[in-house]
Amino acid sequence: MIKRRFGFRGPGSRLGALIVLVVLGLPALARAQVFNPETFTLPNGMEVVVIPNHRVPVVHHMVWYKIGAADEPAGKSGLAHLLEHLMFKGTPTIPPGEFSKIVARNGGQDNAFTSSDFTAYFQSIAKDRLPMVMEMEADRMANLRLSEEDFQTERQVVREERRSRTDNEPGELLSERIGQALWGTHPYKNPIIGWEPELMALTRADALAFYDRYYAPNNAILVVAGDITAAELKPLAERTYGALPRRDTPQRASLRDPLRALPPPAETVITMHHAQVAQPSFSRRYVAPSAAFDPQGMADALEVLDEILGGGSSGRLYKHLVIERGMAVSAGSWYRGEALDWGSFGLYASPRDGVAMADLVAAVDAEVASLLDQGVKADEVDDAKRRLTAGLVYARDSLSEGARALGEALTTGSSVAQVESWPERIKAVTPEQVSAAARAVLGRRDRSVTGFLLPEPRS
Amino acid sequence: MKRLLFALVLLVAPWGAFSAQATPVQTVTTPSGVTAYLLADPTLPIVSLSFILPGGAVSDPADRRGLATLASGLLDEGAGPYDSQAFRARLEDQAIELRFDAGRDSFSGSLKTTTATLEDAFALLRLALHEPRFDAEPVDRIRAQVMTAVRMGEADPQTLASKALFAAVFADSPYAFDEQGSEEGLRAITADDLRGFVRRQLVRQGLAIGVAGDITPEHLSALLERTFGDLPATGDQPPLPVPTPRLAGTTTVIDRDIPQSIALLAQGGLKREDADWQAAYVLNYILGGGGFNSRLMNEVREKRGLAYSVYSTLYPFRTVGLWLAGTATQNARLGESLAVMRAEWARMAESGPTDQELADAKTYLTGAWPLRFTSTEAVAAILASMRMTDLPADYIDRRNAEILALTTDDLRRVAKRLMTPDQLTAVVVGRPEGLPPAADPTAPAVR
């Protein structure tokens, strides 16, 4: 998931950065909790979710489109994200570049982000400014205007964004290669920001065609969290988004599409040496079921597995390899189940000084082998379930987290009910289910890609 | 004119709603004199605490750089009867979040817990502060992690630029070094050094505490007394150094074969306690702190497409302030980005903001103030900062009036007082082109 605006990166880095840097995939997002949302649907098909939170008279207003990088035409990677940038270039009533300025002049903050499966726009603002941002957001859903000059300048901005995020970051460069190898022809193979030559070949016409094809109320979800109720929001939603006509948008590509089939099974290893790497690291990414595409019902068990294997300092990998054997400075796992098609499961580790990478990988492999062979123990599962659900209430100690969790769920094929029943489902997971999920995912080395990020060899 | 009136009408409303009843920040003082600001909020069964102490990395002995950071990573790795794994398990099993953090001239901690585990959470914080164990295994492990982070930072262009800039600006002062320390310093640290750090750093003098969430003042008072009440009054910590920034207006290039150059710039800033703080804060918002509304963003990104990120920020330390700016641009056009940034700096120094810019800044800054109060963690951190900088308990209600009272003349005066475009000192990491001849790319790197 990448954002339009770069957060301030202050001088100095922190201890925590180490852990972030060695994870080559996305860490599992903080999971949804019980948000008690209200929902309704506008006559034009736009779904609406309201999460009341009356702590401060402010709201977090989001519009999510069921469209992302995985929906781009072949050869046009980066288009969904570039369009996200271009959505700030104005309409007949909002001059180019004014959208964010108007929000700010009204005491609000705004931004947008794009993923493989969704594109979202949001504003945090005082409650009495909500009608205004709803009007503006509805306006740009239907009336985008885009000059060739603004297009060219913004593509240049995104080119610089790619340099910052990827070309200057060896971990990201390797991550791109891993994704390509893991997904074959499936569009998840493309980086969201786009391959550089494809990004630079995108045209204004490409962006407008994509916009015309997918930006419609029936392909979008409105999520508002904060000091508001569904009863208060409904007339506003009807007046703004409700005034936009439903338009036919293409059915999202399905897994039956041959291009979305996984590549032939093959164990793959990618080794990247890079001058900017000072610390070697190992990572492995497996194809896994997602919350939405989970024919054998394993997604919940995979969350518990992730906690047992890679959760905090109590997870097996950290406990055994970092604490007990002192072989690694970091080791853990992650599971990303928020995806329309497949999810992914990852392992990572980075050796301590003097430990050979081969020995560390052998130790990780031995942990996985013992897990597949002996499964998990009942008390481990109980501990993991308790840890996963103990901080449930924290998710509501935030204006935006519930809106984000529900928007992500609804644009990746899950439902509100699925989000709300999460604690109960986690509590029901059995040791047998965790062991079976481990075998189904981690037992398939031929559905994984292993990456090594290494310093440049000394010449 | 019509637009201005519209803006002025708008700016009152959101704040009015928030402050209809004064924000009830209470001052809680325990029998032994531990004081905290509390914003009680029973909405959710959660309590967050934040504390800050002066000290941190600038107090590291010269041959033990990284001591404060290593200690911050070890206070929650075993204390009292619990070894590292037992202590971590007590936290993780109950979803108690306990963190310590070493800054360049501060040492801070935070605690977040549900009310169901409130007593245990404060008991664990107490143990971490009073009886950290520093067992050999966690010391070696966390040391290895911090040393790895130091090594990774040396290969990371952004970190490299930051280290080089601070080294140039603060020269021989401890402020020249970042909080992670050096590999040699970290390697030399012993358990005795860590215990010495605890004796000097974890004291009541200068302790600033903020708390938010579902707790009464009486209950909090009892917990604070138990947790902080018998810390030593002082720790013979030497006073913080007062460095004089060296700002020669130079541009130093650190050659790295990367496609995009990273640029960081610095000039003198001010401390949070400075009477001109709010004016400088608004001035910086207009210059480069306000995202898409800032002059730097407009000129560098929106008009020219030169960068994804460009910003400026006030960077106040306890005894000195800096004003920083940064961007990243492909090598071929980095010179252009820097020239635009310097020109905007000079333009603001010369003529200050326009009436419209100030009006827009006021509506944003006052309207967005309530957005900072949406989580207990954020509120606790703000309250601790207020304690640290001696702001009154009703500052949350007074702050917007201070912003609204500012005039363009105030900002022009402060721009004249503070902004020194010819002293903007820059570090560029990459293979930049188009720099003025004064920046000699063959000059030796700072580090």
Side-chain angles (χ1 to χ4, degrees):
Chain A
M1 190 155 38
I2 54 181
K3 281 193 173 184
R4 172 171 175 249
R5 185 177 300 172
F6 205 86
F8 166 59
R9 275 178 82 185
S13 54
R14 301 156 52 93
L15 185 56
L18 170 66
I19 309 304
V20 175
L21 286 175
V22 294
V23 180
L24 296 176
L26 284 170
L29 298 175
R31 256 321 289 247
Q33 314 286 340
V34 180
F35 298 108
N36 302 318
E38 305 175 77
T39 59
F40 58 92
T41 303
L42 297 174
N44 61 13
M46 188 166 178
E47 291 173 76
V48 184
V49 180
V50 188
I51 308 161
N53 171 348
H54 305 291
R55 181 180 270 170
V56 184
V58 296
V59 289
H60 189 69
H61 167 256
M62 306 189 86
V63 168
W64 293 71
Y65 292 93
K66 295 184 223 177
I67 186 73
D71 302 288
E72 291 156 348
K76 297 195 184 295
S77 63
L79 182 54
H81 169 254
L82 179 59
L83 176 60
E84 175 224 297
H85 277 241
L86 298 171
M87 287 292 282
F88 292 83
K89 293 302 174 192
T91 68
T93 48
I94 308 275
E98 281 297 303
F99 192 100
S100 295
K101 292 189 175 76
I102 294 170
V103 172
R105 277 200 290 272
N106 284 276
Q109 298 164 350
D110 75 321
N111 211 330
F113 52 87
T114 304
S115 179
S116 291
D117 295 321
F118 53 76
T119 311
Y121 302 81
F122 65 87
Q123 302 85 30
S124 291
I125 200 157
K127 176 190 178 172
D128 60 353
R129 295 297 120 82
L130 179 61
M132 184 198 78
V133 294
M134 289 175 73
E135 274 165 28
M136 288 169 60
E137 197 64 78
D139 174 40
R140 70 174 167 179
M141 186 184 291
N143 302 313
L144 179 66
R145 291 291 178 274
L146 180 59
S147 73
E148 181 64 29
E149 193 193 344
D150 281 343
F151 173 84
Q152 295 284 345
T153 307
E154 201 60 28
R155 193 179 59 188
Q156 206 50 50
V157 168
V158 174
R159 179 71 190 89
E160 291 296 340
E161 182 179 0
R162 191 187 145 90
R163 286 192 181 98
S164 289
R165 287 183 188 283
T166 309
D167 303 338
N168 257 6
E169 296 288 339
E172 271 306 304
L173 288 171
L174 175 60
S175 181
E176 277 188 351
R177 298 291 302 271
I178 291 175
Q180 228 179 348
L182 188 69
W183 299 114
T185 56
H186 190 287
Y188 284 173
K189 72 180 185 294
N190 292 324
I192 293 156
I193 200 157
W195 301 107
E196 196 267 345
E198 294 186 4
L199 169 65
M200 293 315 285
L202 294 175
T203 64
R204 173 177 171 276
D206 289 331
L208 290 174
F210 197 72
Y211 172 75
D212 288 339
R213 207 167 146 81
Y214 293 110
Y215 277 56
N218 40 299
N219 202 36
I221 299 161
L222 170 64
V223 187
V224 183
D227 189 17
I228 189 145
T229 62
E232 288 173 274
L233 184 69
K234 199 167 184 187
L236 294 176
E238 281 166 352
R239 181 163 62 78
T240 52
Y241 300 105
L244 303 175
R246 165 192 279 276
R247 288 195 296 111
D248 283 342
T249 54
Q251 188 84 19
R252 291 194 99 165
S254 88
L255 286 165
R256 287 189 297 277
D257 179 338
L259 286 174
R260 292 200 163 221
L262 293 175
E267 185 175 345
T268 311
V269 178
I270 298 175
T271 303
M272 182 180 279
H273 292 271
H274 198 289
Q276 269 166 266
V277 174
Q279 170 72 18
S281 61
F282 149 87
S283 65
R284 184 177 295 144
R285 207 183 301 175
Y286 296 84
V287 175
S290 67
F293 178 64
D294 186 17
Q296 292 162 290
M298 288 180 172
D300 300 326
L302 286 170
E303 290 201 47
V304 176
L305 173 67
D306 177 37
E307 183 66 22
I308 291 172
L309 200 55
S313 52
S314 320
R316 283 188 184 191
L317 290 171
Y318 190 91
K319 192 172 165 186
H320 295 161
L321 304 183
V322 181
I323 300 181
E324 289 172 7
R325 299 178 64 184
M327 301 180 76
V329 286
S330 67
S333 67
W334 52 268
Y335 169 54
R336 179 166 166 76
E338 297 82 7
L340 193 60
D341 292 351
W342 284 277
S344 38
F345 196 100
L347 307 175
Y348 62 89
S350 188
R352 267 212 211 179
D353 261 359
V355 174
M357 183 59 99
D359 293 341
L360 178 59
V361 174
V364 172
D365 286 343
E367 286 292 333
V368 173
S370 123
L371 175 72
L372 299 185
D373 186 45
Q374 290 155 43
V376 292
K377 296 197 230 31
D379 57 342
E380 282 182 300
V381 173
D382 288 342
D383 286 350
K385 284 153 63 171
R386 191 169 55 245
R387 284 175 181 163
L388 280 169
T389 53
L392 206 59
V393 69
Y394 293 159
R396 283 194 280 154
D397 190 19
S398 152
L399 183 64
S400 57
E401 189 169 331
R404 208 153 36 212
L406 285 160
E408 190 171 33
L410 292 176
T411 48
T412 57
S414 291
S415 66
V416 171
Q418 239 174 312
V419 172
E420 291 297 291
S421 66
W422 181 80
E424 282 67 47
R425 297 201 320 274
I426 289 297
K427 283 173 189 160
V429 169
T430 66
E432 294 70 32
Q433 288 172 322
V434 177
S435 301
R439 288 182 193 113
V441 174
L442 304 184
R444 292 294 303 274
R445 191 76 75 78
D446 59 356
R447 283 276 174 237
S448 79
V449 178
T450 300
F452 291 101
L453 189 57
L454 305 172
E456 248 166 21
R458 301 237 163 84
S459 49
Chain B
M1 191 60 205
K2 198 174 171 194
R3 209 169 86 155
L4 181 62
L5 273 178
F6 180 61
L8 285 173
V9 172
L10 286 186
L11 70 89
V12 185
W15 182 248
F18 186 54
S19 62
Q21 299 96 25
T23 315
V25 173
Q26 303 171 73
T27 305
V28 175
T29 302
T30 72
S32 71
V34 177
T35 303
Y37 283 161
L38 165 66
L39 184 57
D41 172 6
T43 317
L44 292 169
I46 298 171
V47 175
S48 289
L49 172 144
S50 194
F51 75 84
I52 316 172
L53 282 158
V58 290
S59 304
D60 288 347
D63 56 355
R64 298 287 191 277
R65 297 211 188 285
L67 178 58
T69 291
L70 187 55
S72 75
L74 283 164
L75 291 182
D76 60 352
E77 287 280 349
Y82 307 116
D83 69 8
S84 163
Q85 292 195 48
F87 194 89
R88 302 290 321 164
R90 287 196 75 82
L91 294 173
E92 290 173 17
D93 283 353
Q94 305 180 92
I96 296 168
E97 296 178 6
L98 175 62
R99 284 197 193 94
F100 300 96
D101 196 17
R104 202 169 290 246
D105 64 359
S106 67
F107 190 85
S108 57
S110 66
L111 178 71
K112 180 171 169 180
T113 178
T114 65
T115 50
T117 54
L118 187 60
E119 299 293 328
D120 214 21
F122 274 81
L124 289 166
L125 171 58
R126 190 201 138 78
L127 278 179
L129 296 173
H130 287 79
E131 299 176 50
R133 289 162 59 124
F134 302 123
D135 291 334
E137 183 280 319
V139 170
D140 286 348
R141 168 164 48 93
I142 304 296
R143 185 203 321 264
Q145 291 178 343
V146 181
M147 284 170 67
T148 302
V150 169
R151 205 177 314 137
M152 289 169 76
E154 280 162 6
D156 173 59
Q158 188 83 33
T159 312
L160 199 56
S162 160
K163 277 180 193 269
L165 184 71
F166 277 84
V169 168
F170 287 126
D172 301 324
S173 161
Y175 275 96
F177 304 97
D178 81 8
E179 52 274 12
Q180 275 181 344
S182 66
E183 289 197 68
E184 315 80 74
L186 287 158
R187 202 173 287 122
I189 293 168
T190 65
D192 275 346
D193 293 327
L194 291 159
R195 280 185 275 272
F197 170 85
V198 166
R199 273 194 305 275
R200 288 192 307 275
Q201 178 73 75
L202 303 181
V203 299
R204 278 182 292 151
Q205 187 176 29
L207 176 63
I209 305 174
V211 179
D214 188 11
I215 190 167
T216 63
E218 296 72 29
H219 193 177
L220 177 62
S221 176
L223 290 173
L224 290 177
E225 182 66 23
R226 241 181 286 156
T227 309
F228 298 98
D230 51 357
L231 286 175
T234 68
D236 306 319
Q237 181 102 303
L240 293 174
V242 186
T244 308
R246 234 195 256 175
L247 296 155
T250 52
T251 300
T252 307
V253 176
I254 299 177
D255 179 67
R256 285 292 184 278
D257 185 11
I258 50 177
Q260 185 187 55
S261 290
I262 315 281
L264 284 181
L265 300 91
Q267 69 136 65
L270 71 184
K271 293 190 286 178
R272 177 61 186 84
E273 293 85 350
D274 195 292
D276 284 330
W277 173 265
Q278 299 289 29
Y281 186 81
V282 177
L283 192 62
N284 176 66
Y285 172 84
I286 295 166
L287 175 68
F292 286 101
N293 312 293
S294 76
R295 287 186 180 184
L296 292 181
M297 191 68 119
N298 245 328
E299 296 297 324
V300 176
R301 172 170 159 162
E302 296 295 287
K303 279 193 192 163
R304 296 177 176 83
L306 286 170
Y308 175 56
S309 160
V310 56
Y311 62 86
S312 67
T313 183
L314 294 175
Y315 215 77
F317 293 107
R318 299 299 289 265
T319 62
V320 66
L322 284 185
W323 197 340
L324 300 184
T327 195
T329 298
Q330 57 170 308
N331 288 327
R333 298 184 74 184
L334 190 276
E336 197 180 341
S337 285
L338 272 191
V340 172
M341 291 173 75
R342 287 181 182 277
E344 286 307 313
W345 213 277
R347 185 162 75 93
M348 185 66 91
E350 183 55 34
S351 42
T354 64
D355 290 345
Q356 184 62 54
E357 283 175 320
L358 176 57
D360 289 348
K362 285 179 175 179
T363 55
Y364 171 74
L365 292 170
T366 56
W369 185 231
L371 296 174
R372 302 239 206 129
F373 298 87
T374 54
S375 79
T376 57
E377 253 174 304
V379 172
I382 291 172
L383 295 175
S385 302
M386 282 164 50
R387 289 284 313 156
M388 182 185 85
T389 49
D390 292 324
L391 290 168
D394 63 351
Y395 173 71
I396 293 174
D397 293 320
R398 286 159 50 155
R399 182 264 195 184
N400 274 2
E402 292 179 15
I403 299 280
L404 292 174
L406 295 167
T407 65
T408 39
D409 283 345
D410 293 330
L411 267 62
R412 233 166 256 143
R413 179 183 58 75
V414 171
K416 285 263 184 287
R417 177 196 147 192
L418 288 175
M419 297 188 79
T420 49
D422 55 333
Q423 288 176 21
L424 268 179
T425 299
V427 170
V428 181
V429 177
R431 297 246 159 110
E433 296 169 31
L435 292 178
D440 178 7
T442 61
V446 172
R447 52 181 298 284

